[in-house]
Amino acid sequence: MASLTLNRVAWQMALSAAVATLGVFVFKMIKVRSVFAKLKKQGLPMPPWDYAAGHLMVLPGLLEKFPKGSQQSDAFTLLSYDYKHTDGCFYIDCWPFSSPLLIVTSPEVAMQACSQEHDLPKPAILIPFFAPLAGGPNLFDMNGTEWKRSRALFNPGFSNNVMQECIPHIIEEADVYVALLREHARKGDTFSLDVLTCDYMMDVIGVISINARLHSMTTHNPLAAAMRSSIQWHCQDEELNPFVRWNPMRPLVEWYNGRTMDRYVFAELDKRYEDWKNNEPATRAKSVMDIAIAAYMGERKASPKLDAEFKKWASAQIRLFLFAGHDSTAATIVYSLHMLSKHPEALEKIRAEHDDVFGGDVDSAAQVLKEHPEYINKLPYTTAVIKETLRLFAPASGMRGGKPGVFLRDKNGNKFPTEGIYIWIVHGAIQRNPEYWPEPHSFLPERWLVEPGHPLYPPKGGWRPFEYGPRNCLGQTLAMLDIKLTLAMIVREFDVQDQYAEWDRLHPSSGVKTVFGERAYQVAQGAAHPVHGFPCKVFSRKKSS
């Protein structure tokens, strides 16, 4: 009898929970659909919509035009071409997979969304994205006074002077990267350039951020391994498979990785704090972490140990730098090499520029830059190649939260209300918008060398890989330095050849295999990376006599 009573109670509780869950689901659906019903009634731009499914029925047909696993933003880039009368901007309802969205593909509208005038916040939707990577509130998802204080503490660590002083450390890691490329060239094997380059940039950002050599290119490092694991397990909004999206193992893996990263960073913080105490007040800043500790301790009296709250805050920022500083930069290096391999005329020009600046042999750049680090600023064509690569292969996009009474306006006079809406600034779409960029899908480094008034001259606010406005990327100087230095050390010594034909032979499949004609299309893996890790071979060029 008691058993029957317990079973009845259990069933009643389960039924109540199910009804409550269904009630919450229906309430949220009605709330979101009501927003879109109002937008539709106002005649605002959006694909065909209905109350039951929103725009979910539109996506399957759109995604069929792209390879499985490609970025959802590429589909929205294509969809934006249907809304030229609104400068490419439109609303999307993909609930329950995402919040209500205003897709922005116009430079002018994007600048408004990121301006100080509207002061639109980073939305809460970013918090779960960065939580497993940073482990807490960080410079990317903070707002208001908290963000301003954190940014001010780290700004000095990313100044031009500090970054230039980092060149010898970057070269030290680049030497290992070059040695590994030489070994691949000697063996003639096919390997993932993206994986190797991610390890390389992780080692670079480790030195810059925490003044520690991670050696992740050649051995196991717990910090680097935990970060890469969290990125590989990461689930993004475009993942529609519920078994992948809600894999019960993910929270356990992310918790373990987060604990590993925090333990490592806490230990490094303690080391750097001891160094600060022993050398204060004339501390020689050796890393971003050193500068943050010095700035923080400048506001209080020294104590035997670092404050636990500061360590937790600092760990989140350092983990963010480790993620953002290596992930997108590595992908850009790979894509730069890929574009140069596909465009021999550009490869010839960049090699000629390096011959002029660094002279000597094909491997002379490292020694020259050690003696004259300022020479890294004498590479206009190299910079143009990088900027054009970033235009075609934007590593990420921007996101802002709407506000009551805030309307964004396009060049045609259309007004877009933002209340209750997340604003998705799709960098790839903006940077390939044919209304602003002649030959938008072509690789033309000359865009960045022409004078204002030339047809190819880039539109204001149209190039946004580091975002635009007061919340632009803190580490953009370091990223550009890393990429320029890496190209300077390898483009004269190696030829890179993708092996996608071999990959397709070994992994036969049907369906679409390119995005905008590119086989090495981007997939979401933290930042956007080349699909399949960019399988390739490298070949050594003969040294100059």
Side-chain angles (χ1 to χ4, degrees), residues 32-33 35-37 39-40 44-50 53-59 62 72-73 75-80 82-83 88-105 416-417 420-424 426:
V32 170
R33 298 291 191 256
V35 169
F36 277 87
L39 293 172
K40 184 179 180 182
L44 291 164
M46 65 177 71
W49 177 89
D50 66 66
H55 291 126
L56 291 177
M57 301 307 292
V58 174
L59 289 183
L62 192 61
Q72 194 179 81
S73 59
F76 290 146
T77 298
L78 183 63
L79 188 58
S80 71
D82 295 336
Y83 295 93
C89 301
F90 54 95
Y91 292 91
I92 282 287
D93 175 9
C94 290
W95 192 89
F97 295 101
S98 73
S99 301
L101 296 171
L102 170 60
I103 306 296
V104 172
T105 68
F416 300 92
I421 304 291
Y422 288 159
I423 302 157
W424 188 7
V426 185

Side-chain angles (χ1 to χ4, degrees), residues 369-433:
L369 285 170
K370 288 177 184 177
E371 297 171 1
H372 299 282
E374 70 277 8
Y375 282 15
I376 200 68
N377 298 316
K378 296 183 176 183
L379 303 171
Y381 190 77
T382 303
T383 302
V385 166
I386 297 168
K387 295 183 81 170
E388 183 68 349
T389 299
L390 282 165
R391 183 187 71 81
L392 289 172
F393 301 100
S397 292
M399 188 75 75
R400 292 291 188 275
K403 281 185 175 181
V406 173
F407 295 81
L408 305 179
R409 293 172 171 80
D410 69 10
K411 65 179 183 180
N412 300 317
N414 299 296
K415 293 174 60 177
F416 300 92
T418 68
E419 182 177 1
I421 304 291
Y422 288 159
I423 302 157
W424 188 7
I425 305 163
V426 185
H427 294 172
I430 293 172
Q431 294 174 177
R432 290 177 182 256
N433 190 328

Side-chain angles (χ1 to χ4, degrees), residues 20-272:
T21 301
L22 179 62
V24 171
F25 181 89
V26 171
F27 173 78
K28 289 183 177 179
M29 185 185 79
I30 292 173
K31 184 178 180 181
V32 170
R33 298 291 191 256
S34 297
V35 169
F36 277 87
K38 184 177 178 181
L39 293 172
K40 184 179 180 182
K41 187 175 181 180
Q42 296 175 53
L44 291 164
M46 65 177 71
W49 177 89
D50 66 66
Y51 208 97
H55 291 126
L56 291 177
M57 301 307 292
V58 174
L59 289 183
L62 192 61
L63 294 175
E64 284 178 2
K65 300 177 182 179
F66 293 88
K68 185 178 180 180
S70 63
Q71 296 188 111
Q72 194 179 81
S73 59
D74 289 327
F76 290 146
T77 298
L78 183 63
L79 188 58
S80 71
Y81 299 159
D82 295 336
Y83 295 93
K84 292 183 179 179
H85 63 290
T86 61
D87 212 7
C89 301
F90 54 95
Y91 292 91
I92 282 287
D93 175 9
C94 290
W95 192 89
F97 295 101
S98 73
S99 301
L101 296 171
L102 170 60
I103 306 296
V104 172
T105 68
S106 156
E108 294 187 25
V109 179
M111 284 194 295
Q112 295 170 46
C114 298
S115 69
Q116 287 181 311
E117 176 189 357
H118 294 308
D119 192 26
L120 295 178
K122 291 292 186 79
I125 195 174
L126 294 175
I127 294 175
F129 178 92
F130 284 99
L133 304 173
N138 56 81
L139 276 166
F140 205 95
D141 59 33
M142 289 175 178
N143 286 300
T145 303
E146 185 182 22
W147 170 77
K148 291 179 181 178
R149 175 181 172 274
S150 298
R151 175 95 179 205
L153 275 174
F154 282 104
N155 265 334
F158 289 93
S159 68
N160 286 325
N161 290 338
V162 171
M163 291 299 99
Q164 192 129 318
E165 292 174 2
C166 292
I167 286 179
H169 303 299
I170 301 172
I171 290 174
E172 191 171 21
E173 303 300 342
D175 282 336
V176 181
Y177 182 61
V178 170
L180 292 171
L181 290 176
R182 286 173 183 158
E183 181 62 18
H184 282 296
R186 185 189 65 78
K187 292 189 295 186
D189 63 340
T190 297
F191 67 101
S192 169
L193 185 60
D194 189 59
V195 170
L196 174 59
T197 310
C198 282
D199 289 340
Y200 160 50
M201 289 314 306
M202 181 69 79
D203 287 347
V204 169
I205 199 65
V207 172
I208 304 303
S209 294
I210 62 177
N211 192 30
R213 295 199 68 186
L214 305 183
H215 300 289
S216 61
M217 282 183 282
T218 54
T219 188
H220 174 83
N221 177 273
L223 175 62
M227 176 60 74
R228 293 304 304 166
S229 173
S230 288
I231 292 170
Q232 289 159 11
W233 275 86
H234 203 279
C235 184
Q236 306 205 41
D237 283 340
E238 51 256 59
E239 180 56 66
L240 302 181
N241 185 332
F243 297 103
V244 176
R245 191 178 181 92
W246 291 293
N247 187 329
M249 287 296 296
R250 180 176 294 106
L252 297 175
V253 173
E254 291 174 344
W255 172 84
Y256 179 78
N257 287 337
R259 190 166 175 267
T260 299
M261 287 188 278
D262 278 342
R263 188 189 304 118
Y264 196 107
V265 174
F266 288 168
E268 293 298 327
L269 278 165
D270 289 338
K271 292 178 186 176
R272 302 267 49 83

